[in-house]
Amino acid sequence: MRKLVQKFHRQGARLIGPGTAVALAMAGTGLAAVPSAQGAPAVITASVAVDTGRLSARIPATGVGMNVAVYDGNMNHSAVPGLLRNAGVGAVRYPGGGYADGYHWQTHTVEGGYVAPNTDFDTFMGTARATGAQPIITANYGSGTPDEAAGWVRYANVTKGYGVKHWEIGNEVYGNGLYGATWETDHHASKTATTYATNLVQYATAMKAVDPSIKIGAVLTTPGAWPDGITGPGDSADWNHTVLSIAGSKIDFVVVHHYPIGNSQADLLGKPQAEIPGMAATLRSLINQYAGSNAPNVGIAVTEANANAYKNTSPNGLFAPDEYLTWMENGAFTLDWWNLHNGTDCSKVTTVEGATDYDDGGILSSGASCEPPLNTPFPPYYGVQMITKLGSSGDSLVQARSSTSLVSAHAVRRTNGDVDVMLINKDPANAATVTLSYTGFSPSSTTPTVYSYLKNATSIGSAATGSATRQTVPAYSIVVVQLHPAP
């Protein structure tokens, strides 16, 4: 059997969620609202203010990313490029999480791990190119060498002409035993952050000697999550300060992973707003402190993200676009969902909001015995696909403020002058009546086109409905309102 469950993500068991504040205060929010005594659902109200003059970021071509893993025999299935294109995926990360620190690209083997047929680098590149996505490669730090990584750059960009730009050095290297946890392969005699940073500089030097145009990423601990802030034995400071103090001037981006611990559906759905702005600000402060004059050019990459629960059901469908867009608004140039196919052993099947959750971290079904057919999209897929209705690469993410934590709002000013607004209703029982206002934009009075992804739906719908200033968002749903400027 394919060992798709090997990643089955273990971070939920070991990360301590950043901070202690609950993102969505239950008191007064109606988040657990129930139907009225007459049986008709209540309606919550929200106001959303869009300021098209307040630019947060431009949507990066690599903004919507996806992970694939060499243990997944279906990662290059013929249906995959089309599915990824339709979801707007612009980056694909390879060869797969912790496997990267045991993966040897020349032999296409993983130390102590399973590699599925037809998952080698060239076949992966065929899928990435058919998708129209940029590859993000994780070089083997744990059992590899700078020369091995430089050889991969030479093969990819000189021999084959693939033009792979983004190379991160290792995956979650801080899990190498320095802080007591040993999920990550690391054969170096010293496991310290100092050793990683010193070797990172050697990797960067060797790899850029082959292709100076590539970008090198350094693995950091996620701000506020274990083991951030802990000084390990043999180091004089915590992981992030140590790594950046040594290698900050030699790198092009920093790498973190985000697996928020949602203790309830409501808690999970509040995590993007509760955690991401602070995390991103901390990372930017560290970059500014250590990267010198190159600091403005150093990017932030979130190369793994997913929920810790409700993975295949509507809460994660709502969480996914909020997670992607909030990270992009706060400066990340990519967020790569874990995972394309992940698999399940079918031992933790539950029902969430009237739908079956298989405890499968994949965005598409792996076709396990308890699951729907292979490549069936789960709700996060449709949530991500809704981003394609909001904007495209180069469009401007602008400020959108909601009056209530029950309704998340994101807005885009397209290059043609149109404005689109995404509204996410996090109330599982009640529709939201949303009043919208605009600064710097006068919408047309014509009825807008509205795309919607409804609770437990298996497709995205569209209709001309509501107005530019008033929309109804059904319970546990996402809508995107597409607006033209007034003539």
Side-chain angles (χ1 to χ4, degrees), residues 413-414 416-420 438 441-449 468 481-487:
R413 184 156 199 161
R414 290 188 180 262
N416 66 359
D418 287 356
V419 169
D420 299 340
Y438 306 89
F441 177 73
S442 298
S444 167
S445 60
T446 59
T447 303
T449 298
V481 186
Q482 297 187 336
L483 303 165
H484 302 303

Side-chain angles (χ1 to χ4, degrees), residues 274-478:
E275 295 184 354
I276 293 170
M279 288 176 174
T282 297
L283 292 171
R284 183 51 58 190
S285 177
L286 286 165
I287 291 167
N288 290 340
Q289 181 177 355
Y290 292 113
S293 61
N294 194 44
N297 302 318
V298 176
I300 296 171
V302 186
T303 59
E304 290 184 23
N306 203 332
N308 71 308
Y310 327 114
K311 298 171 186 174
N312 315 119
T313 45
S314 53
N316 210 15
L318 303 183
F319 169 78
D322 220 7
E323 175 81 356
Y324 273 97
L325 291 165
T326 306
W327 269 112
M328 282 189 261
E329 288 161 353
N330 284 275
F333 71 84
T334 191
L335 183 140
D336 309 320
W337 193 260
W338 187 273
N339 195 9
L340 178 67
H341 304 107
N342 204 56
T344 176
D345 61 8
C346 297
S347 67
K348 298 179 181 178
V349 177
T350 57
T351 299
V352 178
E353 294 296 331
T356 303
D357 191 278
Y358 307 97
D359 194 38
D360 185 339
I363 206 165
L364 303 176
S365 170
S366 67
S369 60
C370 60
E371 290 187 330
L374 175 68
N375 290 326
T376 299
F378 291 130
Y381 176 90
Y382 296 111
V384 173
Q385 191 178 26
M386 285 293 286
I387 298 174
T388 68
K389 310 304 181 186
L390 180 69
S392 304
S393 172
D395 291 339
S396 299
L397 287 157
V398 297
Q399 186 183 86
R401 291 189 173 182
S402 173
S403 63
T404 173
S405 56
L406 283 171
V407 176
S408 283
H410 304 277
V412 163
R413 184 156 199 161
R414 290 188 180 262
T415 55
N416 66 359
D418 287 356
V419 169
D420 299 340
V421 184
M422 177 182 285
L423 304 170
I424 304 173
N425 182 0
K426 304 175 185 179
D427 191 311
N430 304 299
T433 297
V434 181
T435 302
L436 299 107
S437 61
Y438 306 89
T439 300
F441 177 73
S442 298
S444 167
S445 60
T446 59
T447 303
T449 298
V450 177
Y451 288 87
S452 59
Y453 177 61
L454 304 179
K455 181 178 179 180
N456 298 336
T458 56
S459 63
I460 292 171
S462 66
T465 187
S467 69
T469 57
R470 187 179 178 87
Q471 288 288 329
T472 297
V473 185
Y476 249 35
S477 75
I478 308 165

Side-chain angles (χ1 to χ4, degrees), residues 46-101:
S47 60
V48 168
V50 176
D51 187 342
T52 63
R54 298 287 296 273
L55 174 69
S56 299
R58 299 203 184 275
I59 298 177
T62 52
V64 176
M66 187 64 56
N67 273 274
V68 296
V70 293
Y71 57 71
D72 172 18
N74 292 305
M75 63 175 275
N76 296 306
H77 189 281
S78 60
V80 165
L83 285 162
L84 294 181
R85 276 197 311 275
N86 289 340
V89 171
V92 186
R93 180 179 182 243
Y94 175 93
Y99 259 46
D101 280 316

Side-chain angles (χ1 to χ4, degrees), residues 82-375:
L83 285 162
L84 294 181
R85 276 197 311 275
N86 289 340
V89 171
V92 186
R93 180 179 182 243
Y94 175 93
Y99 259 46
D101 280 316
Y103 180 72
H104 299 285
W105 70 272
Q106 299 106 320
T107 58
H108 187 49
T109 58
V110 171
E111 296 184 21
Y114 169 80
V115 174
N118 301 313
T119 60
D120 59 275
F121 177 60
D122 286 314
T123 307
F124 158 74
M125 283 302 307
T127 296
R129 286 184 153 190
T131 300
Q134 298 184 38
I136 296 176
I137 303 299
T138 308
N140 182 345
Y141 173 80
S143 62
T145 65
D147 285 345
E148 181 182 18
W152 200 351
V153 174
R154 183 176 295 106
Y155 178 78
N157 292 354
V158 179
T159 303
K160 302 294 290 191
Y162 289 144
V164 178
K165 293 299 182 187
H166 295 97
W167 300 78
E168 53 181 329
I169 310 305
N171 172 82
E172 299 178 1
V173 182
Y174 46 83
N176 63 2
L178 176 65
Y179 301 102
T182 56
W183 71 82
E184 201 73 18
T185 299
D186 186 354
H187 293 336
H188 296 89
S190 169
K191 307 295 192 289
T192 65
T194 301
T195 298
Y196 170 69
T198 302
N199 288 330
L200 171 61
V201 173
Q202 295 176 14
Y203 272 75
T205 300
M207 295 165 75
K208 288 193 172 188
V210 176
D211 183 352
S213 73
I214 66 171
K215 297 182 182 298
I216 298 294
V219 171
L220 298 187
T221 61
T222 304
W226 185 93
D228 183 47
I230 301 173
T231 299
D235 291 321
S236 59
D238 66 8
W239 183 276
N240 289 355
H241 285 85
T242 300
V243 169
L244 290 178
S245 67
I246 295 169
S249 64
K250 304 295 184 182
I251 63 169
D252 303 287
F253 61 100
V254 298
V255 176
V256 295
H257 294 170
H258 190 215
Y259 292 92
I261 307 301
N263 297 312
S264 66
Q265 294 171 208
D267 189 30
L268 171 67
L269 293 178
K271 293 299 185 183
Q273 287 72 40
E275 295 184 354
I276 293 170
M279 288 176 174
T282 297
L283 292 171
R284 183 51 58 190
S285 177
L286 286 165
I287 291 167
N288 290 340
Q289 181 177 355
Y290 292 113
S293 61
N294 194 44
N297 302 318
V298 176
I300 296 171
V302 186
T303 59
E304 290 184 23
N306 203 332
N308 71 308
Y310 327 114
K311 298 171 186 174
N312 315 119
T313 45
S314 53
N316 210 15
L318 303 183
F319 169 78
D322 220 7
E323 175 81 356
Y324 273 97
L325 291 165
T326 306
W327 269 112
M328 282 189 261
E329 288 161 353
N330 284 275
F333 71 84
T334 191
L335 183 140
D336 309 320
W337 193 260
W338 187 273
N339 195 9
L340 178 67
H341 304 107
N342 204 56
T344 176
D345 61 8
C346 297
S347 67
K348 298 179 181 178
V349 177
T350 57
T351 299
V352 178
E353 294 296 331
T356 303
D357 191 278
Y358 307 97
D359 194 38
D360 185 339
I363 206 165
L364 303 176
S365 170
S366 67
S369 60
C370 60
E371 290 187 330
L374 175 68
N375 290 326

